[in-house]
């Protein structure tokens, strides 16, 4: 029954995430907010809801390695999602079609990850009002960064068609026919459904891990992280089918930043001191991997359009290979 419930929850997540992206696309098309802002803030926040319940629940039951591993593993898996879809759509060089404003989100995400990785390495067990000083620093950097990003001008949506390059694409019909009010209400309902389905995925994924006998670090960083990141994967695919590149890229970059906030807030729930000082040392390696692959993503966004598909695909291929190397190392550990 655990496997049946898992796949039913996965199916519901796929359907709901598709609807979530559709509503987000309408909001980005019919409001002053572009796909970059809607993806980075609204869609990223909604698709990260399963991580919220998973990490908070893990902290409450005393398993902080699952809580932190889930956050870090989710960020790593999100980078894999973007790399895989970039390879599928490599003929149109998606990183170049997305607005340049995404560079600010990518740099902010890299900086947040650097702070978290450094905190995991130094293990400073110092708290203020019961919250680790490192977690408070992450929260402060995020707030300042998002204020800056929200004031950036909306990036223009790409007009170049994607037909024939990767999975079949669709036109932006929902944005033409749906009202703002219906889109907002639908978005809220879909977000709640994503939260419930993602929670079920997390619970059943953990039970499957116990049944199959996989290690705790691997479970937190990869199995549960992958299941709770399923909404992000589906949302990116749906955004690409709707030809909204900024929504697709923004949802991944925003989700990775939002996950760092969940990590910081998890410290407030944890009552044993600084959560980043108490978790397993193996999380440092995941943090280093995310930092390096985030730098690779920034490199991909900065590069000029390439005439060679092989040359263009190098950053995404590095990300895919890096993900599986880290997965193998943690599994062996």
């Amino acid at each position: 029954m655990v496997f049946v419930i898992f796949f039913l929850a996965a199916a519901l997540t796929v359907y709901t995430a598709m609807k979530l992206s559709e509503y987000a696309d309408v909001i980005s098309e019919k409001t002053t907010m572009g796909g970059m802002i809607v993806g980075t803030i609204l869609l990223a926040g909604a698709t990260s809801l399963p991580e919220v319940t998973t990490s908070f629940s893990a902290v409450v039951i005393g398993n902080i390695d699952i809580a932190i591993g889930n956050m870090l593993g989710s960020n790593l898996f999100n980078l894999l999602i973007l790399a895989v879809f970039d390879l599928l759509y490599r003929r149109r060089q998606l990183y170049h079609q997305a607005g340049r404003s995404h560079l600010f989100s990518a740099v902010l995400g890299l900086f947040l990850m650097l702070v978290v990785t450094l905190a995991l390495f130094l293990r400073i067990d110092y708290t203020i009002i019961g919250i680790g000083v490192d977690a408070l620093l992450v929260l402060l950097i995020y707030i300042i960064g998002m204020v800056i990003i929200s004031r950036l001008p909306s990036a223009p949506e790409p007009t170049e068609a994607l037909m024939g390059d990767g999975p079949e694409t669709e036109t932006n019909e929902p944005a033409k026919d749906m009202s703002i009010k219906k889109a907002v209400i639908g978005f809220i309902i879909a977000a709640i459904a994503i939260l419930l389905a993602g929670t079920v995925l997390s619970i059943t994924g953990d039970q499957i891990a116990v049944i199959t006998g996989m290690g705790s670090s691997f479970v937190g960083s990869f199995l549960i992280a992958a299941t709770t990141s399923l909404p992000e994967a589906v949302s990116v695919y749906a955004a690409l089918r709707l030809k909204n590149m900024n929504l697709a890229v923004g949802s991944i970059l925003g989700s990775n930043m939002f996950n760092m906030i969940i990590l910081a807030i998890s410290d407030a729930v944890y009552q044993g001191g600084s959560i980043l000082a108490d978790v397993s040392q193996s999380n440092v390696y995941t943090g280093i991997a995310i930092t390096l692959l985030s730098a690779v993503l920034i490199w991909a966004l900065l590069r000029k359009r390439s005439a060679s598909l092989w040359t263009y695909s190098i950053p995404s291929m590095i990300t895919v290979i890096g993900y599986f190397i880290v997965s193998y190392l943690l599994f062996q550990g």
Side-chain angles (χ1 to χ4, degrees), residues 86-105:
D86 177 58
L87 291 174
L88 289 174
Y89 286 97
R90 62 190 178 278
R91 291 185 181 278
R92 295 296 178 180
Q93 302 189 13
L94 301 186
Y95 287 132
H96 301 320
Q97 288 202 44
R100 300 289 288 180
S101 299
H102 289 295
L103 277 171
F104 292 94
S105 301

Side-chain angles (χ1 to χ4, degrees), residues 221-241:
S221 297
F222 295 95
L223 180 65
I224 295 179
T227 55
T228 55
S229 291
L230 185 57
E232 282 90 342
V234 178
S235 294
V236 170
Y237 176 70
L240 292 176
R241 287 175 62 87

Side-chain angles (χ1 to χ4, degrees), residues 35-47:
M36 184 263 183
I37 294 297
V38 173
T40 303
I41 299 175
L42 294 183
L43 188 56
T47 55

Side-chain angles (χ1 to χ4, degrees), residues 41-289:
I41 299 175
L42 294 183
L43 188 56
T47 55
S48 293
L49 289 174
E51 280 91 345
V52 175
T53 56
T54 301
S55 290
F56 285 8
S57 299
V59 172
V60 169
I61 64 175
N63 196 334
I64 59 174
D65 281 326
I66 289 290
I68 301 303
N70 176 45
M71 289 296 93
L72 297 179
S74 180
N75 275 24
L76 192 62
F77 193 79
N78 284 347
L79 292 174
L80 175 69
I81 290 169
L82 200 56
V84 168
F85 279 114
D86 177 58
L87 291 174
L88 289 174
Y89 286 97
R90 62 190 178 278
R91 291 185 181 278
R92 295 296 178 180
Q93 302 189 13
L94 301 186
Y95 287 132
H96 301 320
Q97 288 202 44
R100 300 289 288 180
S101 299
H102 289 295
L103 277 171
F104 292 94
S105 301
V107 171
L108 177 57
L110 174 61
F111 194 51
L112 288 169
M113 198 62 243
L114 277 170
V115 173
V116 170
T117 304
L118 189 61
L120 287 168
F121 180 77
L122 296 177
R123 310 179 80 82
I124 302 173
D125 195 4
Y126 182 77
T127 62
I128 300 176
I129 60 172
I131 305 175
V133 65
D134 40 25
L136 288 173
L137 181 59
V138 168
L139 188 59
L140 180 63
I141 293 172
Y142 176 83
I143 293 173
I144 295 173
M146 291 309 296
V147 168
I148 295 173
I149 289 174
S150 65
R151 293 180 178 177
L152 295 174
S154 299
E157 303 295 338
T159 56
E160 188 176 358
L162 291 175
M163 293 300 291
D165 298 302
E168 183 183 357
T169 56
E170 297 176 349
T171 59
N172 261 352
E173 289 300 326
K176 296 179 181 179
D177 301 333
M178 192 182 301
S179 67
I180 292 292
K181 181 179 179 180
K182 182 178 179 181
V184 171
I185 294 174
F187 186 91
I188 293 172
I189 294 173
I192 294 172
I194 280 284
L195 174 61
L196 297 175
T199 302
V200 174
L201 276 176
S202 302
I203 295 171
T204 53
D206 184 46
Q207 292 176 345
I208 290 173
V210 173
I211 293 172
T212 55
M214 288 185 282
S216 177
S217 297
F218 182 82
V219 170
S221 297
F222 295 95
L223 180 65
I224 295 179
T227 55
T228 55
S229 291
L230 185 57
E232 282 90 342
V234 178
S235 294
V236 170
Y237 176 70
L240 292 176
R241 287 175 62 87
L242 293 167
K243 303 179 185 177
N244 197 328
M245 305 301 105
N246 286 318
L247 190 66
V249 176
S251 66
I252 290 296
L253 295 179
S255 179
N256 277 13
M257 290 188 294
F258 194 78
N259 284 345
M260 294 298 94
I261 295 307
I262 299 172
L263 186 150
I265 297 175
S266 296
D267 198 313
V269 180
Y270 180 60
Q271 299 298 310
S274 173
I275 194 171
L276 292 175
D278 293 343
V279 294
S280 170
Q281 189 69 30
S282 62
N283 288 294
V284 174
Y285 305 114
T286 309
I288 293 173

